[in-house]
Amino acid sequence: MSPATSPPPQLRRITRSSLARFAYQSDATSSAQGNATTPQITDIEDAISGDGTTDTTTRKRKRAVVSASIKREAKSATIKKEKGAAEEEEEKSAPTPNRRARKPARKIIDPDTKTAIVAPPSDWEEMYDLVKEMRLTGPAKDAAVDTMGCERLALPTASPRDQRLHTLVALMLSSQTKDTTNAVAMRRLQTELPSHAPEAGEDVAPVGLNLENLLAVDPAKLNELIWIVGFHNNKTKYLKQTAEILRDTWGGDIPDTIAGLTSLPGVGPKMAHLCLSSAWGRTEGIGVDVHVHRITNLWGWQQPASKTPEETRLALQSWLPRDRWREINWLLVGFGQKVCLPVGRRCGECELGLRGLCKAADRGKVNQGRKVREETASLKVEQVKTDGDDEDGLVLKEEYIKREDEDVNALDMVFSEPPKEEVGVKEEDSPKQPPSKRQTRRRRGLI
């Protein structure tokens, strides 16, 4: 190609719309169209002009005409849809009328005295009464604390002074230890602690847990007797030090004040309050252990949640009536041992969860418990109806007596005499069956 020759013109891309003009049309269709503005093109090459450009004549798209009535209907449907969505949002945001508003213990102003007081949590009395009912007759009865609690481990045959010592020692051993394990260790101390050497003119000292034997025992022997409890090495030291303090400072008896009890090694506020109420019969505070601390926080009685048992004690004492300070420990410890366990809570058997009073209840377990309760109630109703209907009861009783008579007759036939052949029945058709073990035992009067 010579340089003087001009380059060929660039061809434009042929689109589907331009090719549509070359679609086949019948004679009838072409004649019906009449005069067309677009010239008749018989070949695709004719669509390309001599300068390389395509014909720019295109067809316009036909648009459907939407009537005004259709537009109004569509607009009204859109408005209704928007109104429906707004109503649904309002229903979701509105509080349900049956839902209870739970409020923790909070400070309010007394309208009469104009002073700040602590208002108790909402529904606390109902929750307290339901837990007490469960502890007495429900799923939380017969807990370990009822028979092996620290206040129940003192020997009734011991002297009052020794009983108070037993209570103090049981509380000191109970830290980080289950009640069942603590009871075993206490029983060993009460039966195996060696007696001290008698002084001149004294009789042989008895074996068992008392201050004199605790002072005289070798630490290794004491550690051997209580090795089953948690942190027994530290508790051995605490018991020996406590025995010396009781002898030198308190005249051989345990202290009768909270300050004196907390001054002993290994004794905290919880042990001090429990010991004072159990040993001396005085309640000056709430004994808060892990169960009381955990359960009251699960219920939301403290807001924000207390971090230590001591914070829980102070929070509870600010609003709980004083006549329940001693009982609440027994109540919640047994409840935590039987129903509201640290792991694997039995929410399906708890009245608080079934009645919607516990905000920490497992909803799956609660729903399952409600189904079981409904099924049990329906079975009881059916049983009452069956027992109350005279006709049905008579029929059942008659059928039972009839079946019992048939069994007795069959046994008589087997053991008394061979069965008589019935008319029209062959012996092959009704073979004789040997007696079963149950029939033999019934015949001999063993059943």
Side-chain angles (χ1 to χ4, degrees):
M1 180 184 297
S2 62
T5 306
S6 61
Q10 296 181 356
L11 300 179
R12 304 179 85 181
R13 187 176 61 180
I14 300 174
T15 61
R16 185 178 296 179
S17 61
S18 62
L19 293 176
R21 292 175 293 170
F22 302 101
Y24 173 75
Q25 296 180 354
S26 61
D27 296 336
T29 307
S30 60
S31 61
Q33 288 178 353
N35 295 331
T37 58
T38 305
Q40 186 70 21
I41 300 176
T42 59
D43 193 3
I44 190 172
E45 295 179 356
D46 297 339
I48 305 174
S49 59
D51 57 356
T53 61
T54 59
D55 189 6
T56 59
T57 305
T58 58
R59 295 185 302 172
K60 292 183 178 181
R61 182 184 299 174
K62 294 182 180 180
R63 296 185 179 181
V65 179
V66 181
S67 61
S69 61
I70 297 177
K71 289 183 178 180
R72 285 194 298 269
E73 292 177 359
K75 188 175 181 180
S76 62
T78 305
I79 293 173
K80 289 181 180 179
K81 187 175 181 180
E82 292 177 355
K83 287 183 178 179
E87 291 176 358
E88 289 180 0
E89 291 180 358
E90 290 179 359
E91 291 178 358
K92 290 181 181 179
S93 61
T96 56
N98 295 331
R99 186 174 181 181
R100 298 186 180 184
R102 299 188 185 95
K103 294 182 180 180
R106 61 211 177 275
K107 290 184 178 181
I108 61 173
I109 302 299
D110 190 358
D112 298 332
T113 61
K114 305 300 181 180
T115 58
I117 60 173
V118 179
S122 55
D123 300 328
W124 76 271
E125 287 183 296
E126 183 180 357
M127 297 173 69
Y128 192 96
D129 294 339
L130 287 174
V131 173
K132 190 172 183 179
E133 184 179 351
M134 285 188 284
R135 286 286 285 116
L136 295 175
T137 59
K141 67 177 181 179
D142 299 331
V145 70
D146 297 337
T147 56
M148 291 174 280
C150 296
E151 66 276 6
R152 289 172 173 80
L153 295 181
L155 284 179
T157 57
S159 63
R161 189 195 72 160
D162 290 343
Q163 287 183 2
R164 291 191 288 268
L165 179 65
H166 291 186
T167 302
L168 176 62
V169 172
L171 285 167
M172 294 177 68
L173 296 180
S174 66
S175 177
Q176 303 294 323
T177 305
K178 293 183 178 180
D179 288 338
T180 52
T181 305
N182 190 32
V184 173
M186 280 296 298
R187 191 60 59 197
R188 292 197 65 184
L189 288 177
Q190 292 167 349
T191 57
E192 300 180 22
L193 189 66
S195 59
H196 64 281
E199 298 180 0
E202 291 184 354
D203 297 334
V204 178
V207 176
L209 181 57
N210 55 56
L211 184 61
E212 291 75 17
N213 292 347
L214 193 59
L215 288 168
V217 68
D218 185 66
K221 179 62 178 178
L222 181 60
N223 194 10
E224 178 187 347
L225 293 175
I226 65 169
W227 70 271
I228 194 173
V229 302
F231 303 99
H232 54 90
N233 293 326
N234 292 334
K235 292 176 182 179
T236 298
K237 295 188 229 179
Y238 295 156
L239 288 175
K240 293 294 291 182
Q241 295 172 5
T242 298
E244 294 176 358
I245 295 174
L246 297 182
R247 179 194 60 190
D248 300 337
T249 308
W250 299 98
D253 207 342
I254 69 172
D256 57 352
T257 61
I258 296 296
L261 288 169
T262 52
S263 66
L264 301 176
V267 178
K270 178 204 79 170
M271 297 181 189
H273 287 290
L274 290 176
C275 185
L276 191 67
S277 61
S278 299
W280 294 104
R282 296 205 320 268
T283 302
E284 297 182 3
I286 300 174
V288 177
D289 68 343
V290 290
H291 293 290
V292 180
H293 173 65
R294 175 177 57 86
I295 293 173
T296 53
N297 278 319
L298 283 178
W299 290 345
W301 281 5
Q302 291 85 238
Q303 196 62 253
S306 55
K307 297 181 180 180
T308 62
E310 184 63 15
E311 291 182 6
T312 302
R313 182 183 70 83
L314 296 176
L316 290 175
Q317 289 179 180
S318 64
W319 60 267
L320 188 67
R322 195 180 184 90
D323 58 348
R324 308 197 188 194
W325 284 9
R326 181 173 181 179
E327 184 185 45
I328 192 172
N329 181 271
W330 164 83
L331 202 69
L332 297 187
V333 169
F335 182 68
Q337 291 177 346
K338 297 286 288 186
V339 177
C340 194
L341 304 171
V343 179
R345 291 176 299 185
R346 299 162 60 186
C347 301
E349 303 177 22
C350 178
E351 289 292 335
L352 302 182
L354 295 175
R355 302 193 186 191
L357 292 172
C358 179
K359 71 171 190 176
D362 189 332
R363 299 305 171 195
K365 295 180 181 180
V366 169
N367 293 334
Q368 187 66 24
R370 287 173 180 168
K371 290 180 181 178
V372 172
R373 178 165 292 189
E374 290 175 0
E375 293 174 358
T376 306
S378 61
L379 290 175
K380 288 182 179 180
V381 170
E382 292 177 0
Q383 184 178 1
V384 169
K385 287 183 178 180
T386 304
D387 295 341
D389 195 348
D390 295 339
E391 295 181 359
D392 295 342
L394 289 174
V395 171
L396 291 174
K397 189 174 182 180
E398 288 177 359
E399 289 180 357
Y400 176 77
I401 295 173
K402 186 177 180 182
R403 290 176 183 174
E404 187 175 6
D405 293 340
E406 288 177 357
D407 294 339
V408 173
N409 292 336
L411 290 174
D412 292 338
M413 291 170 63
V414 172
F415 291 98
S416 300
E417 57 182 5
K420 297 180 180 180
E421 295 183 3
E422 297 181 3
V423 179
V425 180
K426 295 182 180 181
E427 188 175 358
E428 305 82 51
D429 298 337
S430 57
K432 181 180 178 181
Q433 297 292 337
S436 63
K437 292 183 178 180
R438 184 174 182 84
Q439 291 174 341
T440 305
R441 290 170 61 85
R442 181 178 292 178
R443 178 63 179 174
R444 294 178 180 177
L446 299 177
I447 297 179

